[in-house]
Amino acid sequence: MKSTQPLIDTHLHLASEQFNEDRRAVIERAIEAGIAAMVEIGYDLASSHAAVALANAHPAIFAVVGIQPNHLHDLPSDWIDQIRKLAAHPKVVAIGEIGLDYYWMKSPPSAQEEAFRAQLALAAELGLPVVIHSREAMPETIAVLRDAARGPGVMHSFSGDWTAAQECLELGFYLSFSGPLTFPKSAALHEVVQQAPLERLLIETDSPYLSPHPHRGQRNEPSRLVYIAQKLADLRGLSLAELGPQLWQNTLRAFPRMAETLG
């Protein structure tokens, strides 16, 4: 499947070992499918360094750096300074993915919130947006954001209902949708896409995870962003040709540093 409109995959993990054998081919397939830019997301120090390296090596790739709540153990004492230094790279467009995860609960809620708030403060200091990870912790995530941050920012792979979506929108955040949007039983997500302002919607693959229908259960890759874009277009009663330019502008507003390169 190919898009005639250039699209941006706002969240993926190309540095994953699942791409070690064919990373270059995956990037080439994405570009051939109409994916004009990709945002490589860090989740710990190693992946944040790798994200910057990928962005440095590929014109179409940008980076986001940060510590995800499932990767808080064994951090060095200077971890926030390391993220600050990485964020100085001109192709780093946000701090993330950061937030709360009460599904895996690999760190206690207090430790998760402390790291979350520290990185929200760093993003504010640097004038960068944030990319938010929230799993089984949407009310708690929104409470922290209401207290410590306002947009711009992105709710990664949004999985909440319309009530949660409204709260995120009121805080100035964009809602980003991934493979589950294409699943027939995702009625709550379909409602959010139909109700939310079109100018606040983004799309992502979260590759290598969350592959869309009809590739569910397979390793995901950025070329499959087109399936997500098409589903979003269908839900809004638009053609992909009509939707594509809107998604492009939404992404550049969400990540102003990208706009400096992509216009």
Side-chain angles (χ1 to χ4, degrees):
M1 196 172 182
K2 182 175 181 177
S3 174
T4 57
Q5 295 293 320
L7 299 172
I8 300 174
D9 188 344
T10 65
H11 194 116
L12 76 169
H13 303 281
L14 284 173
S16 166
E17 62 181 13
Q18 293 190 44
F19 294 116
N20 283 353
E21 301 300 318
D22 63 346
R23 188 172 290 109
R24 181 177 295 277
V26 167
I27 294 170
E28 289 173 355
R29 280 196 295 271
I31 292 171
E32 288 169 6
I35 315 308
M38 293 158 266
V39 184
E40 176 70 12
I41 308 289
Y43 52 86
D44 60 12
L45 285 175
S47 61
S48 293
H49 280 275
V52 173
L54 272 173
N56 212 36
H58 297 277
I61 298 178
F62 295 81
V64 170
V65 297
I67 310 297
Q68 198 241 39
N70 294 318
H71 298 271
L72 299 178
H73 1 293
D74 302 323
L75 285 174
S77 59
D78 69 339
W79 68 270
I80 198 78
D81 290 325
Q82 289 195 45
I83 296 298
R84 180 183 285 105
K85 288 175 184 175
L86 286 170
H89 192 284
K91 290 188 79 179
V92 170
V93 297
I95 300 297
E97 60 185 278
I98 63 176
L100 301 174
D101 193 317
Y102 291 0
Y103 177 81
W104 293 112
M105 199 65 84
K106 292 190 175 181
S107 294
S110 59
Q112 292 190 40
E113 183 173 336
E114 182 180 4
F116 188 16
R117 287 179 178 273
Q119 292 177 96
L120 289 171
L122 176 63
E125 171 194 327
L126 300 176
L128 287 173
V130 289
V131 174
I132 303 298
H133 170 106
S134 179
R135 189 167 185 189
E136 302 294 334
M138 187 62 75
E140 295 84 357
T141 301
I142 290 171
V144 172
L145 293 175
R146 188 177 289 120
D147 179 54
R150 292 294 184 273
V154 177
M155 303 302 294
H156 145 60
S157 193
F158 184 78
S159 59
D161 59 14
W162 176 232
T163 299
Q166 287 176 287
E167 293 182 277
C168 295
L169 291 167
E170 287 168 8
L171 288 169
F173 281 78
Y174 291 78
L175 308 178
S176 183
F177 296 89
S178 56
L181 184 69
T182 67
F183 301 166
K185 294 183 178 179
S186 295
L189 290 183
H190 297 166
E191 180 189 8
V192 172
V193 162
Q194 290 167 330
Q195 299 257 23
L198 188 59
E199 63 271 17
R200 300 285 286 282
L201 304 182
L202 303 175
I203 53 174
E204 61 173 271
T205 61
D206 199 20
S207 300
Y209 315 109
L210 300 178
S211 200
H213 177 80
H215 300 284
R216 189 173 183 178
Q218 302 172 13
R219 183 195 74 170
N220 201 7
E221 61 177 76
S223 62
R224 293 179 183 160
L225 186 71
V226 185
Y227 292 94
I228 302 163
Q230 185 63 63
K231 181 64 178 180
L232 198 155
D234 292 344
L235 289 166
R236 295 298 298 233
L238 299 170
S239 68
L240 196 49
E242 292 170 313
L243 177 67
Q246 180 70 61
L247 290 175
W248 184 275
Q249 290 303 318
N250 293 355
T251 306
L252 298 192
R253 284 197 303 271
F255 301 110
R257 275 193 186 175
M258 289 185 75
E260 296 172 13
T261 302
L262 298 179

